[in-house]
Amino acid sequence: MPTYKDIPYIADDNPRHTLDIYVPDTATASLPLVIFIHGGSWRTGDKSECQVLAQGLASQGPAIAVINYGLSQHTPDSIRHPAHLQDAIKAVQFLVHNRDYPARHLVDTNNVYLVGHSAGAHLASLMVLSNELDCIASVRGVLGVGGIYDIPGLLELYPDYSDFIDMAFDPTQYREASPQHVAKCKCTDAEHIRFLIINSAGDSLIASTLSASFASQLISSGYTNVELVVRDLGSHFGMLDNKEFWLLATNFVRGLLN
């Protein structure tokens, strides 16, 4: 499978500001572009860990870009919100606007899907609901899997998660940085976007009730194309290598879900 690694989306020699692109062996022009944002509680994770997932998704037809972004860590120069979000936004805008990166001639940059896992689902949904993207018209759908959408609600269920939450966010930011709360004010520029919210019944780290609550808020706010899928796809991280998840994701891109 043609693969292009370590493409910088910011010219600063920072490996956290790079991305990988995977295209199907039988690639032709105008492929949908799926941009995958990894999880890891905003403090861990790397695009290199997503190779099986990316190859699995690309084998079903779309082009896949997997991005890195800055992480929060116990270091003096560690970043916090909104730096992770700003990195992810820059990666998406690079892929849409830049015309000079490998396989660019094969992708349709007006047919972009954001797929995020865990903290990555938080970033994917927040960037569109807060209207931070200057290319939001190119984003056709957002898929969140095992996502974090409501930071106060997450901490109510899992108080021990305050360790990594407080590494990444100031407590005064909890609500404004939560897609579920941002969604209460509908972003008219995002009303065309389709949302697929997935949570595995076998996920012991993120309760399915949180995904259900987020989907309900989207619908209440007037987003008209929202689907919630809760089924046993495996563990929080294991579901990413589940072929059933790959099929859900690629069917979403193809518009085959109701």
Side-chain angles (χ1 to χ4, degrees):
M1 175 176 292
T3 304
Y4 308 92
K5 294 193 174 184
D6 302 321
I7 301 166
Y9 62 85
I10 299 175
D12 61 1
D13 297 321
N14 184 343
R16 300 307 313 172
H17 294 155
T18 62
L19 56 87
D20 298 340
I21 295 176
Y22 300 76
V23 295
D25 290 322
T26 57
T28 57
S30 299
L31 297 175
L33 176 62
V34 172
I35 303 174
F36 182 77
I37 309 175
H38 70 76
S41 307
W42 305 276
R43 63 179 178 177
T44 64
D46 191 88
K47 60 184 176 59
S48 63
E49 301 166 358
C50 305
Q51 182 169 319
V52 172
L53 168 69
Q55 290 175 337
L57 295 176
S59 70
Q60 303 298 311
I64 311 297
V66 185
I67 72 168
N68 271 350
Y69 54 90
L71 302 174
S72 296
Q73 298 175 328
H74 288 301
T75 59
D77 59 348
S78 179
I79 66 167
R80 299 178 89 190
H81 178 79
H84 331 84
L85 177 65
Q86 292 167 346
D87 281 356
I89 287 170
K90 289 174 182 176
V92 173
Q93 291 177 169
F94 169 86
L95 286 162
V96 172
H97 295 312
N98 193 294
R99 307 192 70 83
D100 188 27
Y101 58 82
R104 170 62 181 82
H105 64 289
L106 295 175
V107 302
D108 179 359
T109 55
N110 290 312
N111 192 17
V112 174
Y113 291 80
L114 307 181
V115 179
H117 172 243
S118 196
H122 164 268
L123 297 174
S125 53
L126 187 59
M127 74 172 72
V128 298
L129 294 172
S130 60
N131 202 14
E132 295 281 346
L133 278 175
D134 68 8
C135 56
I136 194 168
S138 296
V139 178
R140 313 314 302 169
V142 173
L143 188 164
V145 55
I148 299 173
Y149 311 107
D150 178 7
I151 296 172
L154 182 75
L155 289 173
E156 285 183 16
L157 285 179
Y158 307 100
D160 291 345
Y161 287 5
S162 62
D163 174 58
F164 69 77
I165 292 292
D166 288 341
M167 284 177 64
F169 302 89
D170 186 278
T172 61
Q173 298 175 314
Y174 286 175
R175 290 180 67 85
E176 68 186 57
S178 295
Q180 182 159 331
H181 294 278
V182 173
K184 292 178 180 178
C185 295
K186 185 181 179 183
C187 172
T188 55
D189 288 341
E191 61 186 359
H192 67 282
I193 292 177
R194 299 161 49 221
F195 291 89
L196 175 59
I197 310 302
I198 300 176
N199 214 85
S200 175
D203 188 339
S204 62
L205 300 182
I206 300 290
S208 296
T209 54
L210 295 172
S211 290
S213 181
F214 178 52
S216 178
Q217 180 61 63
L218 289 171
I219 294 168
S220 296
S221 297
Y223 294 96
T224 58
N225 200 327
V226 180
E227 182 161 357
L228 172 69
V229 173
V230 177
R231 65 180 70 163
D232 191 355
L233 297 169
S235 67
H236 184 69
F237 291 100
M239 59 182 155
L240 296 180
D241 294 335
N242 186 326
K243 292 182 180 180
E244 186 177 356
F245 168 66
W246 301 351
L247 185 61
L248 283 168
T250 52
N251 279 347
F252 177 62
V253 172
R254 293 171 182 151
L256 298 181
L257 295 176
N258 294 323

